Amino acid sequence: MSLKIRLARAGTKKRPVYHIVIADSRSPRDGRFIERLGHFNPLLPKDKTERLKLDFEKVKAWLAKGALPTDRVLRFLDEAGVMKREKRSNPERAVPRKERKARAEEAEKAAAAAKAAAAAKAAEAPAS
């Protein structure tokens, strides 16, 4: 049984509040969980302390048992200094879609030209 520390959505429509829970990875997002570790209210300003409440003792205990946090929970734990989150880098995401397609087409053309040149050179070599 793999355990996840993840967010479970609560609250009303367009007014989300998230419970931070420990659950089996196969259970549904808002379904059965083992223990509630805290809550997160994204509607509150970032400087409010009520925005995020976590019981770090329970979190550390579950991490020691092998539970893995989701990316969002890992961000919370990184801010608190409990766990280290590696920075992600996706430089392609910053490029607009049309430019990405143009670059991909140019790369295909260059690869095809290089392949044709290599084939032509290989055909010339045995004739010499």
Side-chain angles (χ1 to χ4, degrees):
M1 177 167 85
S2 78
L3 299 173
K4 289 278 190 181
I5 302 174
R6 64 181 180 199
L7 300 176
R9 188 165 190 220
T12 59
K13 185 166 83 170
K14 304 208 181 198
R15 307 279 302 163
V17 175
Y18 296 92
H19 300 289
I20 300 169
V21 298
I22 180 85
D24 184 1
S25 63
R26 297 168 293 184
S27 65
R29 179 193 72 180
D30 301 334
R32 192 173 71 185
F33 62 90
I34 299 168
E35 187 175 7
R36 190 170 150 193
L37 305 175
H39 68 271
F40 170 62
N41 187 350
L43 299 177
L44 292 176
K46 292 185 179 183
D47 59 343
K48 292 266 189 181
T49 58
E50 299 86 34
R51 182 178 164 95
L52 175 68
K53 293 278 186 182
L54 255 174
D55 187 350
F56 292 109
E57 299 302 318
K58 288 182 182 179
V59 170
K60 288 177 186 174
W62 280 108
L63 289 172
K65 293 176 187 175
L68 297 174
T70 58
D71 188 52
R72 177 58 54 183
V73 174
L74 188 57
R75 286 173 185 250
F76 298 150
L77 297 178
D78 186 33
E79 288 175 18
V82 175
M83 248 181 125
K84 182 73 178 137
R85 178 180 172 268
E86 295 297 322
K87 290 277 186 191
R88 292 186 177 185
S89 176
N90 186 2
E92 285 293 314
R93 186 168 182 216
V95 178
R97 186 178 175 105
K98 288 180 183 177
E99 290 182 23
R100 271 195 303 238
K101 282 187 176 179
R103 281 188 194 171
E105 289 173 2
E106 288 174 15
E108 283 181 23
K109 288 178 185 176
K115 192 174 185 180
K121 197 171 200 177
E124 288 178 13
S128 298

